[in-house]
């Protein structure tokens, strides 16, 4: 038999703070910068495995250990029009640097620290939209394109999916 247990989640100090400074209308463009310091929305998880999947007689129990951690985010965004050949395109960008707090990771046993460690990372979005001046088959056509990018900026020992169950039955349907 295979059993799953979910342990009570652990939390850091739960205060949160955020700020945003907005600069409006610099030649049709709006800009803002923002900052957040608070608790992550999704828990990080480590897993305990007790028993063996190799023996049907022994129960296998997987315990999920959720824990919430603090994080910081610093961001910049902007939006404004760009004119091209008598057409106006809406453009926008957002970029955020995320700094997850790994200070509580050292409180757990060493074999689970890699599961709970997170890298600093950058997230960016660039977008363009446009409404065609002429109707297409009697309807207004709106185009919207976005490019989304995420990039780690540190290389910590983050090891997603570290729990591997060996010895489970293998079959082909």
């Amino acid at each position: 038999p295979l059993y799953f247990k979910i342990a009570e989640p652990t939390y850091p100090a739960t205060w949160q703070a955020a700020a945003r400074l907005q600069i409006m209308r610099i030649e049709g463009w709006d800009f803002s910068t923002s900052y957040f310091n608070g608790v992550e929305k999704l828990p990080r998880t480590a897993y305990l495995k007790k028993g063996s999947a190799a023996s049907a007689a022994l129960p296998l129990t997987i315990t999920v250990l959720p824990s919430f951690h603090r994080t910081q985010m610093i961001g910049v965004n902007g939006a404004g029009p760009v004119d091209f050949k008598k057409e106006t395109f809406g453009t926008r960008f957002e970029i955020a640097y995320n700094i997850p707090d790994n200070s509580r990771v050292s409180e757990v046993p060493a074999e689970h620290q890699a599961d709970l460690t997170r890298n600093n990372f950058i997230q960016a979005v660039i977008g363009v939209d446009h409404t065609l001046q002429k109707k297409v088959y009697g309807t207004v056509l709106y185009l919207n394109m976005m490019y989304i990018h995420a990039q780690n900026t540190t290389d910590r020992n983050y090891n997603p999916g570290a729990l591997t169950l060996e010895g489970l039955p293998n079959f082909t349907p």
Side-chain angles (χ1 to χ4, degrees):
L2 177 61
Y3 300 105
F4 285 96
K5 293 181 183 178
I6 299 178
E8 193 68 31
T10 63
Y11 293 89
T14 56
W15 64 271
Q16 299 190 105
R20 180 177 180 198
L21 174 63
Q22 187 170 2
I23 302 170
M24 300 191 59
R25 297 294 163 196
I26 298 175
E27 294 187 23
W29 281 76
D30 295 330
F31 297 96
S32 70
T33 135
S34 53
Y35 173 78
F36 171 76
N37 187 332
V39 178
E40 295 171 333
K41 292 180 183 177
L42 296 173
R44 302 179 193 183
T45 53
Y47 303 93
L48 291 176
K49 180 174 81 168
K50 183 179 179 184
S52 172
S55 171
L58 292 176
L60 177 62
T61 304
I62 305 297
T63 304
V64 181
L65 304 168
S67 64
F68 288 86
H69 298 257
R70 298 195 65 76
T71 189
Q72 295 181 69
M73 184 278 304
I74 301 165
V76 176
N77 64 43
V82 172
D83 295 324
F84 181 73
K85 293 186 178 181
K86 297 183 183 179
E87 299 282 341
T88 300
F89 294 84
T91 58
R92 64 198 155 283
F93 71 91
E94 298 178 31
I95 186 165
Y97 184 60
N98 295 271
I99 309 161
D101 180 9
N102 291 309
S103 63
R104 294 182 58 230
V105 171
S106 61
E107 299 171 7
V108 300
E111 64 267 17
H112 302 299
Q113 291 180 7
D115 291 332
L116 299 177
T117 301
R118 295 294 181 268
N119 286 310
N120 295 3
F121 61 97
I122 293 174
Q123 291 177 305
V125 176
I126 298 171
V128 176
D129 64 72
H130 180 66
T131 303
L132 293 180
Q133 302 268 339
K134 295 182 181 180
K135 290 186 176 182
V136 177
Y137 296 109
T139 188
V140 174
L141 188 59
Y142 171 74
L143 305 171
N144 189 336
M145 297 183 298
M146 284 203 240
Y147 173 74
I148 301 170
H149 182 77
Q151 177 73 47
N152 284 338
T153 59
T154 54
D155 187 21
R156 299 201 172 100
N157 292 328
Y158 174 49
N159 189 12
L163 177 68
T164 303
L165 299 179
E166 296 177 1
L168 290 176
N170 188 5
F171 68 94
T172 304

